[in-house]
Amino acid sequence: MASVRLLCSLNGKAAGCSRTLARTGCRNVCSSPSRLQSMSAWVIDQYGSSGVLRHTEEITIPTINFAHDVMIKVSAASLNPLDVNMRGGYGAALLNIRRDPLSVLNSFSEFPLILGRDLSGVVVDCGSGVTHFAPGDEVWAAIPPWKQGSLAEYVTLTEYEVSYKPKSLSHIEAASIPYVANTAFSALVNTGGLCRENSSNKRVLITGASGGVGTFSIQLLKAWGAHVTVTCSQNAEGLVRGLGADEVVDYTSGDVAEQLEMMQRFDVILDNVGGDTEEWAMGLLKPWSGAKYVTLVSPSLLKTDSMGLLDGTLNAGLTLHNKAFQ
């Protein structure tokens, strides 16, 4: 599912500060946010369906706590499938340990939890050690899933988690890009080992390719000269072919695995679907060639959620070992 772009609601108290920044071109710290006690945000107080979402204007504004922190006024944010999954509790066990390593020993609660991984906005405050940004800079970012999200008026991140927003993009356009683009790049390059220099002779399969990560992956791979096969529904075929996909398999028209088994084997498989896909995807890889299967549906998170931290980690490790051996 492609990212759904969403403008965050603006609080009148904070809007005045932004107008001042825009009017004066201020490069100094804007002190207004730090004087405010609360901001509006979409939060959840428990895991569940969409009914657990709650809009409030009583969330404490994040502060600059470390020298390399930057405070950003959110102009636009977007939603990803990860946000929907996190709303239901996906990855909660491991993410809570990342939020607070002592959470296994105490009664730490992550609630109220603000969702949203993408943002585009304006820097309004900086820590004493920040060297890359100044108040007034337009930036974008992909927020790590263990931090409070972007469906709020303000977010605090380190300067290393932020970069300048391209001037050619509006805030709404920019907010639709960071998380899916970073995920696609990480999956293909950091994990899959692909790049411009080595992709020209590679065959790549992308399952569930009509979503945000899939559409970015198609474009990257085609720019690097790879042969790209994708799976998607019939109504998305025009989209993926328009982005350059060489072969398209409609998963609604029959057995996907059977259709793919008739093709040449693949050097890399990027799995956006998970579940039963793992059972047949491994058999589509080229044997004895260093081929790689990359999944975005983390078995370790699913296992720890369902089996607990210790048993889930051990089970996920065993599953990974068996698949690597295969």
Side-chain angles (χ1 to χ4, degrees):
M1 181 174 67
S3 296
V4 179
R5 291 177 287 279
L6 172 69
L7 272 176
C8 283
S9 59
L10 298 178
N11 186 297
K13 297 178 291 184
C17 172
S18 293
R19 286 195 295 269
T20 301
L21 279 172
R23 185 174 60 251
T24 63
C26 172
R27 303 292 293 184
N28 298 315
V29 171
C30 175
S31 59
S32 296
S34 62
R35 291 203 302 265
L36 299 176
Q37 298 300 312
S38 61
M39 65 178 181
S40 62
W42 282 94
V43 303
I44 61 172
D45 300 303
Q46 60 182 346
Y47 296 117
S49 64
S50 58
V52 302
L53 284 168
R54 173 173 65 90
H55 182 265
T56 177
E57 296 187 356
E58 301 301 323
I59 293 296
T60 302
I61 286 186
T63 57
I64 299 291
N65 295 317
F66 301 99
H68 291 282
D69 282 352
V70 293
M71 184 176 181
I72 303 165
K73 184 180 187 304
V74 178
S75 298
S78 69
L79 297 175
N80 294 282
L82 178 64
D83 297 305
V84 178
N85 293 334
M86 286 180 63
R87 185 198 65 199
Y90 174 70
L94 286 180
L95 291 176
N96 279 346
I97 291 180
R98 182 61 179 82
R99 294 181 184 113
D100 181 2
L102 297 179
S103 62
V104 294
L105 302 176
N106 57 35
S107 57
F108 166 80
S109 174
E110 68 272 37
F111 302 117
L113 184 63
I114 304 173
L115 301 176
R117 299 303 104 200
D118 291 306
L119 74 86
S120 181
V122 179
V123 175
V124 294
D125 202 351
C126 299
S128 60
V130 172
T131 58
H132 297 91
F133 303 99
D137 288 339
E138 293 189 338
V139 296
W140 61 353
I143 303 176
W146 53 85
K147 291 192 173 185
Q148 290 285 40
S150 59
L151 302 186
E153 287 187 78
Y154 293 95
V155 168
T156 296
L157 298 169
T158 71
E159 63 176 322
Y160 310 112
E161 296 169 319
V162 179
S163 60
Y164 289 106
K165 179 184 75 67
K167 296 182 183 299
S168 59
L169 299 179
S170 69
H171 282 298
I172 295 178
E173 291 169 333
S176 71
I177 295 175
Y179 195 81
V180 292
N182 275 299
T183 302
F185 191 87
S186 177
L188 295 174
V189 179
N190 298 346
T191 306
L194 298 175
C195 63
R196 184 184 301 275
E197 288 72 26
N198 68 5
S199 298
S200 59
N201 296 318
K202 294 293 194 299
R203 287 180 52 82
V204 182
L205 169 65
I206 305 173
T207 64
S210 61
V213 174
T215 53
F216 268 92
S217 298
I218 294 171
Q219 295 173 82
L220 277 175
L221 291 167
K222 293 309 299 178
W224 295 342
H227 182 282
V228 180
T229 301
V230 305
T231 69
C232 64
S233 61
Q234 183 180 15
N235 61 10
E237 182 173 352
L239 168 65
V240 296
R241 286 199 184 277
L243 295 175
D246 297 289
E247 297 182 78
V248 180
V249 175
D250 175 11
Y251 65 76
T252 65
S253 65
D255 190 312
V256 175
E258 186 176 301
Q259 297 179 67
L260 291 170
E261 284 172 359
M262 299 172 63
M263 301 179 181
Q264 296 181 43
R265 294 296 182 256
F266 299 95
D267 296 284
V268 174
I269 296 177
L270 175 57
D271 184 6
N272 294 288
V273 179
D276 294 339
T277 306
E278 293 185 21
E279 302 303 320
W280 49 259
M282 302 287 285
L284 300 176
L285 293 170
K286 290 181 179 179
W288 306 106
S289 63
K292 294 183 179 180
Y293 168 75
V294 183
T295 179
L296 299 184
V297 186
S298 171
S300 60
L301 294 180
L302 292 172
K303 295 291 186 180
T304 53
D305 287 341
S306 62
M307 304 175 66
L309 186 60
L310 180 59
D311 290 344
T313 301
L314 292 174
N315 188 279
L318 180 61
T319 300
L320 177 61
H321 173 272
N322 291 339
K323 288 189 178 297
F325 182 78
Q326 179 184 349

